Amino acid sequence: MTRPYRQRVLALTPCHHLESRWAALDIHEQHRCVRGPETGMAMVRGRMGGTGNAFNFGEITMTRASVALDDGTLGHGWVRGRDRRHAELIALVDACAQQAGLVRRIDDELIAPLQDALTTREAQASRTAAATRVDFFTLVRGE
Amino acid sequence: MYVAVKGGEQAIANAHRLLADRRRGERDQAELDVAQIAGQLRLSVDRVMSEASLYDPELAALALKQASGDLIEAVFLLRAYRTTLPRLAVSEPLDTGSMRIERRISATYKDIPGGQILGPTYDYTHRLLDFLQLAEGEVPTPARAEEALEACPQILDLLNDEGLIEQERDDGSEPYDITRDPPDFPVDRATRLQMLARGDEGYLLALGYSTQRGYGRNHPFAGEIRLGQVDIEIHVEEWDEVICIGEIALSECQMVNQFGGSREAAPQFTRGYGLAFGHNERKTMAMALVDRALRAEELGESVTSPAQQAEFVLAHADNVESSGFVSHLKLPHYVDFQSELELLRRLRKAHEAQRSRAGDPQQKRENVSEEAKATERASKGVHHERL
């Protein structure tokens, strides 16, 4: 798994869920924050007509954090919103996943199940939307 | 002109305490929780985020609570908060084609890949008050189909083999940002869309409606309306990669309008575009109508109606600006008004002098003595105010 792949899974997972799954791994690497966690904004860009030129659409709150493990390994995390703990956790997981001894467990026991949970959540939302799929009949006027 | 005043601290503090009391309401009722507002008044939350131009459902819900449900006040609160935050990133342009669809309809094509998905809509409700909601009733969980949705591609791109619809292509140009530099009219379409995206829904709705009623008619069809979740991606230097930092709910409207064409280009349908944070369908439709109306000049149409006049439309669309300027009329204008009074008095004196030269002196004199009394009252007010 790549760092951006893990980052996406961790950012889309609700923080309390991530917190409990991470605790279950029982990995206790000492870390300190070297940047943030700090909250700011990202300007979101849209495209005219969905595919055309970019325009500045509006902003979202976001939080970022960078941590260093005791051996100096750096980890980074970014997340939409203002949850500083969430950003720090993502950075911590990212840093730990740079450790040869931990990466396998993190990918197999944390990222993969969280991705499965996201897939399940998406599928359920999709099936809920699918239940409202409609086929309108066009009536011929005057009959 | 407003001249600063001093004093009144105690009265103002008490007024705010009274306001807090009114906001809280009857104490035997449970206090509203911000999470309840975010969860159960989500369309208000979405509108506040959209017009504040800041996506953060929790803060928008807090703003609504603090504003006692006044949408424009809540927009103001969130917009003000926005100024306290640094900008950390600019996102990659949204890929709304990859939206995780909650609702998706087209009024132009009946059979579309992925189908017509009604989603959570007030359409087709009977607009009858549901008195059951006065009581606490159980709400059933939503129905779930066996199969997930098929892919729902953007209809206007897909169903355009004949080239009948204008295509939107990216020429890579860097968009103007009105939060960094004030708009300088005339403005390009990127700037217009940024201003419309934060524009007041009621105002844009009225302008969009005006185009339908004939003031800048361009015969629109709702080509596609979609609602759902889209990834937010930013480029990060640390990894030199594009990463996803989360998802947001978006509403999008692709309007198809009557023809444009030129000597070189054959006639084709033209387009208007609407995009908003959250579930904001009406806003996106109004935005798309106004976006199209504002393209009049570019498409060689004569500019004859209010909705086609960019400076008029855009300079009055922001409800933080407009309510600010209207509301400032409530602030003490005693000194300003005093100078107007004096000016008026001089004018009337000159008027009277003119009249008396022409004869008819009696009536005027009475008016002047009344006016002198009024002036005395007003000037006392000024002195009191300026203590």
Side-chain angles (χ1 to χ4, degrees):
Chain A
M1 289 177 190
T2 62
R3 294 173 91 173
Y5 181 88
R6 289 189 203 102
Q7 153 68 33
R8 178 175 188 275
V9 173
L10 297 170
L12 289 177
T13 299
C15 188
H16 62 91
H17 192 189
L18 171 57
E19 191 90 63
S20 60
R21 295 303 292 251
W22 175 245
L25 256 67
D26 213 19
I27 294 173
H28 298 281
E29 289 282 330
Q30 291 300 314
H31 74 282
R32 60 190 173 84
C33 289
V34 293
R35 179 181 65 178
E38 60 178 331
T39 295
M41 296 183 296
M43 170 57 84
V44 176
R45 287 186 172 173
R47 288 193 181 283
M48 300 171 188
T51 52
N53 284 343
F55 66 96
N56 289 305
F57 166 53
E59 284 157 314
I60 59 171
T61 50
M62 66 169 283
T63 304
R64 69 181 176 193
S66 297
V67 303
L69 304 182
D70 281 350
D71 68 358
T73 309
L74 283 176
H76 307 290
W78 297 262
V79 70
R80 182 187 75 69
R82 290 167 294 114
D83 193 333
R84 297 154 65 88
R85 175 62 185 161
H86 197 171
E88 185 182 337
L89 257 180
I90 296 173
L92 174 61
V93 174
D94 175 54
C96 290
Q98 308 311 306
Q99 309 284 78
L102 294 176
V103 60
R104 173 57 87 48
R105 280 194 65 212
I106 286 173
D107 284 348
D108 292 353
E109 296 172 38
L110 183 72
I111 305 295
L114 290 179
Q115 175 58 51
D116 289 346
L118 288 178
T119 307
T120 304
R121 188 178 82 187
E122 272 172 35
Q124 286 179 348
S126 182
R127 284 170 52 208
T128 308
T132 69
R133 182 170 169 162
V134 66
D135 283 310
F136 287 118
F137 298 100
T138 308
L139 299 178
V140 179
R141 288 189 190 183
E143 281 189 10
Chain B
M1 185 186 67
Y2 168 66
V3 178
V5 292
K6 291 207 293 184
E9 287 89 346
Q10 190 57 49
I12 290 169
N14 287 345
H16 291 167
R17 196 166 146 185
L18 175 58
L19 177 70
D21 175 77
R22 291 296 166 88
R23 175 168 56 227
R24 175 60 183 86
E26 294 296 334
R27 302 300 201 273
D28 58 354
Q29 294 289 319
E31 185 176 348
L32 260 181
D33 197 72
V34 168
Q36 287 179 309
I37 296 172
Q40 296 175 46
L41 295 178
R42 57 187 186 85
L43 300 191
S44 294
V45 169
D46 289 350
R47 184 165 173 186
V48 169
M49 294 194 299
S50 201
E51 293 170 23
S53 198
L54 182 66
Y55 189 98
D56 191 310
E58 187 187 41
L59 291 182
L62 171 63
L64 272 164
K65 178 179 176 175
Q66 189 177 331
S68 306
D70 180 338
L71 292 171
I72 292 181
E73 183 72 23
V75 168
F76 195 166
L77 289 168
L78 197 56
R79 186 79 71 79
Y81 172 78
R82 179 201 157 275
T83 64
T84 67
L85 295 178
R87 180 176 292 177
L88 303 180
V90 174
S91 87
E92 297 295 300
L94 293 164
D95 178 11
T96 53
S98 70
M99 182 181 282
R100 291 180 280 283
I101 295 289
E102 191 176 13
R103 167 171 168 77
R104 185 269 204 136
I105 55 164
S106 170
T108 51
Y109 299 99
K110 189 165 80 70
D111 298 309
I112 48 178
Q116 308 260 1
I117 319 295
L118 294 180
T121 182
Y122 280 94
D123 296 350
Y124 311 107
T125 62
H126 293 108
R127 270 73 184 208
L128 298 173
L129 278 175
D130 176 10
F131 290 98
L132 288 177
Q133 292 192 30
L134 282 174
E136 286 171 32
E138 285 289 306
V139 177
T141 54
R144 217 170 249 173
E146 286 295 313
E147 297 292 324
L149 291 172
E150 300 156 28
C152 294
Q154 292 271 14
I155 296 166
L156 297 195
D157 298 329
L158 194 75
L159 300 177
N160 194 29
D161 291 343
E162 296 172 80
L164 297 180
I165 304 173
E166 176 188 26
Q167 288 301 284
E168 301 275 13
R169 289 197 184 81
D170 180 17
D171 67 12
S173 58
E174 187 68 11
Y176 193 85
D177 186 353
I178 60 160
T179 68
R180 288 294 182 269
D181 301 293
D184 186 16
F185 292 98
V187 294
D188 63 9
R189 190 173 175 211
T191 312
R192 297 199 299 260
L193 286 169
Q194 186 179 13
M195 296 177 83
L196 292 173
R198 58 165 58 190
D200 183 84
E201 176 175 325
Y203 172 81
L204 295 181
L205 182 65
L207 285 170
Y209 180 43
S210 76
T211 68
Q212 290 181 285
R213 292 192 65 254
Y215 295 90
R217 185 187 296 282
N218 50 43
H219 205 90
F221 295 95
E224 181 172 0
I225 292 170
R226 52 171 61 204
L227 158 67
Q229 302 283 332
V230 177
D231 279 6
I232 300 293
E233 295 183 321
I234 61 172
H235 177 267
V236 296
E237 285 170 9
E238 289 83 351
W239 301 340
D240 192 22
E241 297 256 20
V242 170
I243 60 152
C244 169
I245 62 168
E247 59 185 355
I248 63 172
L250 284 174
S251 303
E252 182 186 53
C253 174
Q254 305 266 11
M255 209 63 91
V256 181
N257 301 68
Q258 223 161 37
F259 323 120
S262 63
R263 197 169 298 170
E264 295 77 31
Q268 57 177 186
F269 284 114
T270 57
R271 294 168 65 165
Y273 187 62
L275 187 66
F277 287 139
H279 190 166
N280 250 312
E281 189 165 294
R282 192 190 303 113
K283 159 73 175 276
T284 60
M285 295 181 77
M287 176 174 168
L289 289 173
V290 176
D291 170 44
R292 174 58 184 80
L294 292 176
R295 296 182 62 205
E297 212 163 318
E298 166 200 349
L299 294 167
E301 298 165 347
S302 55
V303 174
T304 54
S305 299
Q308 298 169 315
Q309 294 168 12
E311 185 164 357
F312 174 81
V313 168
L314 298 170
H316 303 116
D318 187 326
N319 59 26
V320 175
E321 286 175 9
S322 55
S323 73
F325 201 51
V326 169
S327 295
H328 104 286
L329 294 174
K330 294 184 288 188
L331 296 172
H333 280 68
Y334 308 133
V335 176
D336 191 22
F337 189 66
Q338 173 70 12
S339 74
E340 298 266 318
L341 273 179
E342 274 161 23
L343 173 62
L344 185 59
R345 229 175 274 129
R346 278 203 306 279
L347 290 172
R348 287 170 68 97
K349 208 170 269 174
H351 180 74
E352 191 205 9
Q354 209 167 21
R355 292 279 302 262
S356 57
R357 276 199 297 278
D360 180 27
Q362 190 59 39
Q363 196 185 345
K364 286 293 146 191
R365 232 166 253 138
E366 280 166 24
N367 286 350
V368 169
S369 72
E370 274 303 306
E371 193 199 337
K373 280 180 203 159
T375 307
E376 198 181 348
R377 283 197 296 273
S379 61
K380 272 180 189 158
V382 171
H383 291 310
H384 181 71
E385 172 58 32
R386 294 173 84 182
L387 278 176

